[in-house]
């Protein structure tokens, strides 16, 4: 989704702003732009499509500047076009970039038009430039104008602005949309994503909602919502360039798939000991709190929600706790009843997903025992706003399609199921068995990754289809859903998932020779029933791709039976997901899609 980078420096900033935009490309965007202060004018360049095109314009025009703002836009209001791309300007003087959505933009736009302002875009963002210009022209400083503008704005925003009348300061503001300041030597930066400036500094200040800041090459000043100057902590983060480059892999998604054994080790390391999970790994006091929990509510989106669906099963079978799970975007609209001693769990790779954050904020008003997040980004809003947390330590995930984040979320959620069981004095033998299996998990995942050749062999027979059906039963239904999501988001093949028993209640009508049916058949008490369901598919000409325990043997006719590594049943959802990721990747590769940045999608969905 949209990305902001801004810089005030004693050197030229054009190139480093564009480099920062490149670093944010993974987030998903459709246009890019830059505004550079040049003493008597502001150079303003925008382009539709890749940042590369903006870079070409920069090479042609060679603007020199020590103060600038830049942006990648993911269209919300108005199509992807040069006119709608950021930065937006007011009267060649005030230039802004904005992430988020201004909810009352229609009425604000009308009042600004009435005051004589011309609008050249269809966006909700342009009015911010006009509002700032209006207040600056009334004699206010940029900071004062930003506060006055904020009083008018409803919605979520991160804003960076420059004014022709000031060649050394930029002003930023944050409300419900991430924004941080990066501290350099003789230069300062602002960005919506630390990765944008990770090559320039390791020292970051994460702004809080309501904050406004002025930034020059030499200093920064932060003011809170009451306009008082405040000090915010400096966080040192060393994001290695290795973590943010593809290395020898063709795509970040491919790299991230093959990083999974190591990523899962990082999730587990230091959190288990002997035959049990260690105490308080979710934060001081978490083990005590867990002994009081009587019910669980999970909210999350997309892949993270699928991890939650698997975990709901574990909470029930290992910790003997009932669990309700909701799409974060739906949760607060169903007027949820909260039972006493309920624990709220959010799951998110980015920790910035607007719907998940909104659900957490809504839940805060309810009577939850506490909130806990399973998250990959320790500096994210979700991490800061939750009472307890466990960071998955997967390292930056750049591919839009979530892979290692999902696998490590599952490992983290298993640690949570074990911790809840331990605090409730339940199932010590089972806990010991699962801990043993968790220790073996990185190795088992490495073994599952060896199915690559087989996936390359079967990918062509799926790549030439328009649809695919994924089947799983029980805890494998969410894995089937995740498999379908992966295939559709990166290959653009329409894919759906069903619990296999539901087939004959409707979807069986879809089966013919053009419908690949991908089924998950681990050894379980319902494996035989699943195999009967698959016989029904075979009898109707569907091509089967069955991922199964080595003990499962069936005649798949012209289809494929792929035997998976043997592992403890509790690890199987994690392990069976691996070939589905590789299959989607290989299919997408054959279809020539933009795998790391699939069309229309964004990595971090920061608007509701
Ligand atoms: O950062 P989050 O985990 O909160 O993101 C939630 C979803 O947007 C995300 O999982 C999405 O579904 C993935 N790109 C799918 O691969």
């Amino acid at each position: 989704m949209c990305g902001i980078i801004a810089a005030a420096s004693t050197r030229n900033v054009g190139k480093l702003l564009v480099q920062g935009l490149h670093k944010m490309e993974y987030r998903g965007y459709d246009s890019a732009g830059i505004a550079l202060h040049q003493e008597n004018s502001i150079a303003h360049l925008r382009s539709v499509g890749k940042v590369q095109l903006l870079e070409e314009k920069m090479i042609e025009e060679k603007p020199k500047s020590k103060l600038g703002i830049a942006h990648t836009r993911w269209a919300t209001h108005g199509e992807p076009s040069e006119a709608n791309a950021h930065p937006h300007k007011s009267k060649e003087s005030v230039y802004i970039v904005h992430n988020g959505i201004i909810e009352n933009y229609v009425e604000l736009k009308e009042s600004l038009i009435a005051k004589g302002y011309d609008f050249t875009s269809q966006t909700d963002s342009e009015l911010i430039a006009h509002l700032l210009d209006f207040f600056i022209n009334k004699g206010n400083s940029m900071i004062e104008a930003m506060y006055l503008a904020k009083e008018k704005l409803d919605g979520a925003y991160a804003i960076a602005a420059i004014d022709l009348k000031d060649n050394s300061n930029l002003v930023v503001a944050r409300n419900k949309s991430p924004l941080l300041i990066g501290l350099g030597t003789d230069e300062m930066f602002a960005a919506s994503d630390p990765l944008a400036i990770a090559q320039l500094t390791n020292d970051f200040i994460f702004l809080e909602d309501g904050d406004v800041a002025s930034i020059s090459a030499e200093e920064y000043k932060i003011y809170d919502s009451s306009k008082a100057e405040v000090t915010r902590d400096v966080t040192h983060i060393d994001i290695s360039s290795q973590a943010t480059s593809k290395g020898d892999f063709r795509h970040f998604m491919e790299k991230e798939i093959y990083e999974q054994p190591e990523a899962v080790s990082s999730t587990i390391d230091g959190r288990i000991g002997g035959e049990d999970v260690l105490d308080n790994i979710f934060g001081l006091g978490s083990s005590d709190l867990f002994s009081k929990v009587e019910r669980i509510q999970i909210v999350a989106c997309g892949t993270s929600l699928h991890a939650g669906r698997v975990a709901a099963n574990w909470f029930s079978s290992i910790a003997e706790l009932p669990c309700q799970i909701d799409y974060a975007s739906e949760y607060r609209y169903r007027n949820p009843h909260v039972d006493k001693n309920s624990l709220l769990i959010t799951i998110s790779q980015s920790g910035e997903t607007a719907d998940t954050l909104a659900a957490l904020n809504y839940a805060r008003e309810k009577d939850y025992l506490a909130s806990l997040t399973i998250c990959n980004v320790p500096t994210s809003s979700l991490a800061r706003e939750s009472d307890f947390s466990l960071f998955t330590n997967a390292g930056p995930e750049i591919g839009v399609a979530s892979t290692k984040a999902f696998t490590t979320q599952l490992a983290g959620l298993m640690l949570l199921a074990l911790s809840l069981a331990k605090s409730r004095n339940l199932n010590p033998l089972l806990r010991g068995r699962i801990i043993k299996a968790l220790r073996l998990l990185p190795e088992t995942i490495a073994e599952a990754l060896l199915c690559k050749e087989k996936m390359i062999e079967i990918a062509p027979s799926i790549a030439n289809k328009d649809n695919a059906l994924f089947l799983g039963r029980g805890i494998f239904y969410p894995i089937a859903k995740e498999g379908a999501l992966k295939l559709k988001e990166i290959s653009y093949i329409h894919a759906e998932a069903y619990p296999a028993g539901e087939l004959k209640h409707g979807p069986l009508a879809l089966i013919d020779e053009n419908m690949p049916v991908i089924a998950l058949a681990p050894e379980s008490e319902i494996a035989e029933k699943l195999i009967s369901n698959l016989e029904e598919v075979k009898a109707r000409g569907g091509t089967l791709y069955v991922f199964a325990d080595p003990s499962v043997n069936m005649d798949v006719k012209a289809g494929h039976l792929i035997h998976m590594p043997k592992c403890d049943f509790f690890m199987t959802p994690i392990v069976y997901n691996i070939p589905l990721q590789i299959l989607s990747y290989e299919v997408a590769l054959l279809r020539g899609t933009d795998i790391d940045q699939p069309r229309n999608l964004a990595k971090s969905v920061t608007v509701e």
Side-chain angles (χ1 to χ4, degrees):
M1 222 148 244
C2 302
I4 289 176
I5 175 166
S9 178
T10 49
R11 59 172 167 156
N12 281 324
V13 295
K15 203 166 165 191
L16 57 94
L17 288 176
V18 173
Q19 276 163 359
L21 292 182
H22 275 304
K23 293 281 175 196
M24 288 190 290
E25 287 190 283
Y26 79 98
R27 299 171 66 88
Y29 70 103
D30 45 58
S31 51
I34 191 165
L36 295 164
H37 202 299
Q38 302 192 293
E39 307 295 335
N40 299 320
S41 65
I42 290 182
H44 187 208
L45 302 173
R46 295 181 290 181
S47 61
V48 178
K50 295 288 179 194
V51 171
Q52 175 69 33
L53 300 171
L54 179 70
E55 199 168 11
E56 283 162 18
K57 283 191 180 173
M58 293 273 291
I59 292 168
E60 227 168 82
E61 305 215 0
K62 299 187 185 54
K64 296 259 178 298
S65 167
K66 293 176 178 158
L67 181 74
I69 55 177
H71 192 260
T72 45
R73 172 176 187 253
W74 187 84
T76 56
H77 297 62
E79 70 207 0
S81 68
E82 206 167 301
N84 287 335
H86 297 217
H88 291 288
K89 63 177 178 180
S90 185
K91 300 180 183 160
E92 316 291 331
S93 174
V94 176
Y95 288 71
I96 66 100
V97 288
H98 163 230
N99 287 1
I101 286 182
I102 304 303
E103 281 158 13
N104 56 339
Y105 85 101
V106 175
E107 69 187 72
L108 286 177
K109 189 170 173 175
E110 277 166 9
S111 83
L112 285 159
I113 290 171
K115 289 186 173 83
Y117 283 97
D118 287 335
F119 279 77
T120 57
S121 78
Q122 301 154 306
T123 67
D124 57 333
S125 307
E126 185 182 356
L127 68 89
I128 301 170
H130 296 315
L131 258 187
L132 287 173
D133 180 78
F134 175 76
F135 289 122
I136 289 169
N137 281 335
K138 290 225 164 315
N140 294 294
S141 67
M142 277 266 273
I143 286 275
E144 286 162 346
M146 188 62 92
Y147 273 107
L148 290 164
K150 267 163 52 70
E151 278 171 25
K152 304 267 177 206
L153 301 173
D154 287 343
Y157 49 82
I159 302 167
I162 53 173
D163 179 10
L164 183 59
K165 293 186 274 307
D166 185 341
N167 63 4
S168 50
N169 288 289
L170 61 98
V171 168
V172 298
R174 170 194 160 130
N175 186 46
K176 296 191 215 147
S177 188
L179 194 64
L180 53 100
I181 298 176
L183 312 181
T185 312
D186 296 330
E187 54 189 3
M188 305 276 167
F189 312 97
S192 53
D193 181 336
L195 291 184
I197 50 174
Q199 72 281 19
L200 299 164
T201 179
N202 292 327
D203 293 321
F204 303 96
I205 295 173
F206 292 85
L207 294 178
E208 294 185 9
D209 284 344
D211 283 353
V212 171
S214 79
I215 300 171
S216 70
E218 295 78 29
E219 62 169 8
Y220 62 88
K221 285 193 169 144
I222 305 173
Y223 307 89
D224 68 9
S225 51
S226 67
K227 301 188 190 167
E229 190 172 342
V230 286
T231 313
R232 302 262 179 248
D233 292 344
V234 177
T235 309
H236 186 84
I237 316 173
D238 200 352
I239 305 171
S240 78
S241 54
Q242 204 189 346
T244 56
S245 79
K246 283 197 283 242
D248 291 336
F249 290 95
R250 291 162 291 183
H251 295 92
F252 280 106
M253 182 185 180
E254 187 184 31
K255 176 177 178 242
E256 287 153 7
I257 288 174
Y258 291 96
E259 278 173 352
Q260 291 180 108
E262 202 186 311
V264 164
S265 295
S266 308
T267 312
I268 301 166
D269 283 354
R271 288 165 171 165
I272 56 178
E275 304 212 330
D276 223 331
V277 61
L278 299 178
D279 288 337
N280 291 322
I281 58 170
F282 294 83
L284 216 59
S286 54
S287 293
D288 265 359
L289 175 102
F290 290 169
S291 63
K292 300 188 191 99
V293 173
E294 289 176 23
R295 185 170 278 277
I296 288 172
Q297 167 73 55
I298 296 178
V299 288
C301 303
T303 292
S304 298
L305 185 91
H306 295 154
R309 288 197 195 282
V310 174
N313 228 288
W314 291 336
F315 294 146
S316 167
S317 56
I318 302 168
E320 300 177 18
L321 283 167
C323 177
Q324 166 105 28
I325 178 151
D326 281 80
Y327 290 103
S329 55
E330 293 291 321
Y331 169 71
R332 62 197 188 284
Y333 300 111
R334 71 167 171 86
N335 194 16
H337 167 77
V338 180
D339 282 315
K340 79 173 181 13
N341 295 329
S342 295
L343 175 67
L344 179 86
I345 298 175
T346 58
I347 309 167
S348 174
Q349 188 288 127
S350 61
E352 300 294 352
T353 301
D355 282 318
T356 312
L357 274 166
L360 173 64
N361 283 328
Y362 173 87
R364 278 221 187 101
E365 308 296 314
K366 301 263 168 184
D367 204 11
Y368 280 101
L369 205 53
S371 63
L372 181 153
T373 190
I374 303 284
C375 181
N376 192 33
V377 183
T379 52
S380 63
S381 306
L382 211 52
R384 280 179 288 133
E385 289 172 26
S386 301
D387 302 321
F388 295 94
S389 52
L390 180 125
F391 302 118
T392 47
N393 301 337
E397 189 180 67
I398 311 281
V400 162
S402 202
T403 52
K404 64 175 180 174
F406 179 65
T407 304
T408 55
Q409 282 169 348
L410 289 175
L413 286 159
M414 177 54 94
L415 293 175
L416 180 55
L418 292 169
S419 298
L420 286 160
K422 186 179 179 189
S423 293
R424 291 159 53 79
N425 292 320
L426 291 171
N427 301 318
L429 288 179
L430 178 62
R431 290 194 328 252
R433 176 187 131 192
I434 294 174
I435 291 287
K436 225 188 238 166
L438 267 179
R439 286 209 171 90
L440 292 173
L441 183 60
E443 226 173 277
T444 320
I445 293 174
E447 212 183 315
L449 288 168
L450 298 176
C451 71
K452 177 180 176 182
E453 293 310 317
K454 186 70 187 167
M455 296 306 104
I456 292 175
E457 180 194 324
I458 63 182
S461 62
I462 296 180
N464 63 7
K465 300 291 188 304
D466 295 326
N467 300 288
L469 206 56
F470 286 71
L471 302 178
R473 295 195 70 136
I475 201 163
F476 285 87
Y477 172 50
I479 297 299
K481 282 180 85 66
E482 174 58 13
L485 175 62
K486 218 83 310 170
L487 186 69
K488 73 182 120 185
E489 77 181 317
I490 62 166
S491 75
Y492 315 152
I493 292 174
H494 171 236
E496 293 304 330
Y498 277 94
E502 273 295 296
L503 258 194
K504 47 186 159 315
H505 299 289
L508 202 55
L510 296 170
I511 304 295
D512 64 13
E513 65 286 0
N514 289 317
M515 179 65 85
V517 177
I518 296 141
L520 303 170
E523 191 183 25
S524 76
E525 54 194 19
I526 46 175
E528 272 178 28
K529 290 201 166 38
L530 177 104
I531 289 172
S532 316
N533 301 142
L534 298 185
E535 290 295 343
E536 294 157 12
V537 170
K538 204 169 72 182
R540 283 153 186 89
T543 311
L544 286 174
Y545 301 78
V546 185
F547 294 87
D549 184 83
S551 64
V552 172
N553 232 326
M554 69 175 293
D555 170 17
V556 286
K557 280 197 173 157
H560 299 265
L561 177 65
I562 303 111
H563 281 137
M564 297 299 298
K566 260 256 165 278
C567 61
D568 189 285
F569 178 73
F570 281 96
M571 297 300 120
T572 47
I574 306 179
V575 174
Y576 278 56
N577 178 55
I578 304 291
L580 302 188
Q581 297 172 344
I582 302 177
L583 183 61
S584 297
Y585 177 78
E586 295 299 336
V587 168
L589 209 57
L590 291 173
R591 289 170 67 97
T593 54
D594 190 351
I595 294 182
D596 280 337
Q597 291 156 36
R599 68 184 180 203
N600 307 336
L601 297 184
K603 179 67 184 164
S604 177
V605 184
T606 50
V607 293
E608 288 176 33

